[in-house]
């Protein structure tokens, strides 16, 4: 295959130089793979890094790359393994990971409004791409006679990835401000301080004489006051943290930064499966992709936006949050200097700046976790009801193109998605349901102006 990777499923092809291919391992020999030291080069440009990130995102990994975490040969089941594989095939599991060969398997749709659907690298996934996460019971035939196919764990419809860089920058700034407020509270025991950042309230910081914050007064964020905007439950503070877990879960590819150099942590006979530099390139690729956009609104859509606010939808789906600056810095750890930096007001992202030089990020979210009520609650065995029913506010940018909706894809239309809201969103849902048909159609018309990029990542896809 040489240095050319053909993406037949997308009907496109691209060329990536200096990183590609080998007969056995798809990532190629070590001397040709992207290294962290390359960031020291003065002539390293963003496009080169993005091209290397695309390789990590779009490569169909195989056993020679380190795919899987057990015996790589189904005919030799004597070597130590990790997760069991489906039917003892030695490769795939499908439930609880080992469920794809490349990130594009689950992130390739940019619109389901078109017939046929439109494809593009970095998009979302349909129901057939939904990972099934940590189940212990899947009662497909309803042997319990409950009237439905019981499932514990999670069913996760893959979201689109566009605009992630600005989201990460917002979360970093929000976390710093919340932690500063928490430190002030610890320095002033007994004094209640509002945990508010960028207009979003996360409760109250109140510390006792021992310097411990009252966790019961903190809302929608962990007690460490770190905003984690990635993952439907708000589990990951950065794209890199998400990527590290995703590489291991979906492919059994062990990042060196997680397991160490020359360490075969998953017992598959391969070491150095994802280099530090490759993970850096992947994060930069994902955080510098095209951002979602809004079409010019019709009169109905303008009316719908007014009604969207009046119903209380914008209390959580904040139309925009602003950053303090426009540059996203990349670090290997919090106490290290940045090895790369990107201005998100330029390039494919092109976020508008406010009067202070920060970015205007029209994400339609508050990056806060909310209790969505029992109707949307998941069923993790042993987890309390609050954890099962809490979700981070979904970012609505691009929602016009990205059906199906909600965490498990149960809502096939925007109207259904709104009607499923409960818990903290019950009043907004009831306000919507109580409107006239024309008013509800106007809100949908507004939401249908929030679009995904149609031809993303054109700089590295030829």
């Amino acid at each position: 295959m040489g240095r050319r990777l053909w993406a037949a499923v997308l009907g496109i092809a691209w060329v990536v130089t200096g990183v590609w291919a080998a007969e056995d391992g798809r990532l190629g020999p070590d001397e040709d793979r992207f290294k962290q030291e390359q960031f020291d080069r003065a002539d390293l440009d963003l496009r080169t890094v993005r091209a290397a990130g695309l390789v990590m995102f779009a490569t169909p990994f195989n056993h020679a790359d380190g795919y899987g975490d057990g015996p790589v040969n189904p005919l030799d089941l004597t070597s130590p393994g990790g997760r069991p594989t489906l039917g003892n095939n030695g490769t795939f599991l499908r439930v609880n990971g080992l469920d794809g060969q490349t990130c594009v398997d689950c992130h390739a749709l940019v619109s389901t409004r078109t017939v046929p659907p439109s494809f593009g690298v970095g998009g979302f996934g349909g129901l057939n791409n939904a990972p099934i996460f940590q189940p212990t019971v899947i009662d497909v035939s309803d042997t319990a006679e409950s009237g439905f196919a019981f499932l514990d764990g999670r069913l996760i419809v893959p979201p689109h990835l566009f605009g992630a860089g600005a989201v990460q920058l917002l979360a970093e700034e929000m976390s710093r401000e919340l932690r500063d407020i928490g430190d002030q509270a610890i320095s002033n025991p007994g004094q209640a301080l509002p945990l508010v950042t960028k207009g979003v309230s996360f409760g109250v910081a109140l510390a006792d004489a021992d310097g411990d914050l009252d966790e019961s007064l903190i809302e929608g964020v962990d007690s460490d006051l770190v905003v984690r905007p990635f993952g439907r439950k708000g589990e990951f503070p950065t794209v890199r943290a998400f990527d590290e877990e995703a590489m291991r879960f979906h492919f059994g590819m062990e990042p060196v930064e997680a397991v160490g150099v020359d360490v075969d942590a998953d017992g598959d006979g391969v070491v150095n499966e994802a280099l530090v530099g490759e993970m850096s390139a992947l994060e930069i690729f994902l955080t510098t992709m095209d951002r979602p956009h809004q079409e010019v609104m019709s009169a109905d859509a303008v009316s719908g936006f007014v009604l969207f606010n009046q119903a209380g939808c914008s209390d959580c789906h904040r139309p925009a949050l602003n950053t303090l600056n426009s540059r996203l810095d990349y670090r290997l750890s919090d106490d290290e200097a940045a090895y790369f930096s990107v201005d998100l007001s330029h390039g494919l992202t092109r976020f508008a700046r406010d009067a202070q030089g920060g970015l205007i990020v029209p994400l339609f979210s508050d990056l806060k976790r909310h209790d969505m009520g029992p109707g949307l609650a998941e069923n993790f065995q042993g987890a309390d009801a609050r954890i099962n029913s809490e979700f981070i506010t979904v970012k609505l940018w691009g929602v016009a193109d990205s059906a199906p909706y909600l965490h498990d894809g149960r809502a096939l239309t925007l109207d259904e998605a709104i009607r499923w809201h409960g818990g903290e969103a019950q009043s907004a849902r009831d306000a919507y349901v109580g409107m006239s048909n024309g008013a509800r159609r106007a809100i949908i018309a507004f939401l249908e102006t929030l679009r995904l990029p149609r031809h993303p990542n054109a700089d590295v896809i030829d």
Side-chain angles (χ1 to χ4, degrees), residues 102-117:
T102 167
C103 302
V104 179
D105 284 352
C106 292
H107 294 284
L109 290 170
V110 294
S111 183
T112 50
R113 295 182 69 182
T114 60
V115 179

Side-chain angles (χ1 to χ4, degrees), residues 13-19 34 39 41 43-55 281 284-285 288 340-342 347-348 457-462:
W14 58 79
V15 179
V16 179
T17 61
V19 191
F34 194 86
F39 286 102
R41 286 171 34 194
D43 62 341
L44 183 66
D45 60 18
L46 177 59
R47 185 179 183 277
T48 300
V49 179
R50 282 179 47 76
L54 173 64
V55 168
I284 292 168
F285 170 70
T288 56
F340 203 70
S341 181
V342 173
L348 297 179
N457 299 303
D459 63 324
V460 289
I461 296 177
D462 181 13

Side-chain angles (χ1 to χ4, degrees), residues 53-375:
L54 173 64
V55 168
M56 292 303 291
F57 189 81
T59 289
F61 301 120
N62 64 27
H63 289 140
D65 294 309
Y67 185 95
D69 55 7
V72 299
N73 183 354
L75 302 180
D76 178 13
L77 301 180
T78 61
S79 58
R83 287 166 286 188
T85 53
L86 197 64
N88 211 20
N89 61 41
T91 300
F92 296 108
L93 178 56
R94 184 61 182 90
V95 177
N96 203 30
L98 296 180
D99 48 15
Q101 205 179 346
T102 167
C103 302
V104 179
D105 284 352
C106 292
H107 294 284
L109 290 170
V110 294
S111 183
T112 50
R113 295 182 69 182
T114 60
V115 179
S118 302
F119 295 96
V121 172
F124 60 99
L127 289 172
N128 60 310
N129 300 115
I132 303 174
F133 180 68
Q134 290 189 343
T136 59
V137 177
I138 306 177
D139 188 11
V140 176
S141 60
D142 190 21
T143 57
E145 298 184 352
S146 58
F148 60 93
F150 177 84
L151 167 73
D152 62 1
R154 298 185 65 195
L155 182 67
I156 310 170
V157 174
H160 73 78
L161 307 176
F162 303 113
V167 174
Q168 181 163 312
L169 183 56
L170 277 170
E172 289 176 355
E173 293 181 358
M174 295 170 80
S175 297
R176 280 196 294 270
E177 187 167 6
L178 291 178
R179 291 199 304 268
D180 286 345
I181 297 170
D183 289 342
Q184 292 176 37
I186 291 172
S187 299
N188 298 274
Q191 182 178 354
L193 300 177
L195 283 166
V196 178
T197 176
K198 300 190 185 298
V200 180
S201 173
F202 290 88
V204 173
L206 178 65
D208 59 22
D210 295 326
D212 296 320
L213 293 175
D214 187 340
E215 296 183 15
S216 68
L217 300 178
I218 299 172
E219 302 172 357
V221 68
D222 291 341
S223 58
D224 61 3
L225 303 180
V226 174
V227 175
R228 293 175 169 84
F230 302 111
R232 297 292 173 85
K233 295 289 189 177
E235 306 103 310
F236 302 97
T238 64
V239 167
R240 191 186 193 103
F242 184 95
D243 291 347
E244 182 180 306
E245 179 64 24
M247 292 290 284
R248 304 175 80 172
F249 179 79
H250 296 297
F251 315 125
M253 294 283 290
E254 299 287 336
V256 167
E257 60 208 59
V259 302
V261 177
D262 296 331
V263 175
D264 183 13
D266 55 0
D268 62 3
V270 182
V271 299
N272 305 329
E273 296 175 2
L275 303 179
V276 174
E278 291 171 329
M279 295 300 292
S280 295
L282 177 60
E283 180 184 24
I284 292 168
F285 170 70
L286 291 173
T287 52
T288 56
M289 294 195 296
D290 316 54
R291 62 172 175 81
H293 64 277
Q294 184 168 21
E295 294 181 335
V296 175
M297 291 195 288
S298 65
D300 279 349
V302 171
S303 174
F305 180 58
V306 173
L307 294 167
F308 178 87
N309 288 290
Q310 290 178 349
C313 303
S314 59
D315 292 350
C316 298
H317 293 288
R318 301 291 180 98
L321 298 176
N322 290 23
T323 65
L324 298 176
N325 63 78
S326 64
R327 300 198 71 87
L328 178 62
D329 292 331
Y330 300 91
R331 294 178 171 83
L332 295 181
S333 64
D334 290 340
D335 56 357
E336 292 188 46
Y339 62 83
F340 203 70
S341 181
V342 173
D343 189 335
L344 298 177
S345 66
H346 299 301
L348 297 179
T349 47
R350 301 189 313 278
F351 284 98
R353 291 194 188 200
D354 60 21
Q356 289 71 44
L359 303 178
I360 302 170
V361 188
L363 73 172
F364 287 88
S365 173
D366 57 4
L367 302 184
K368 177 180 175 180
R369 288 197 299 264
H370 295 274
D371 189 332
M372 296 300 292

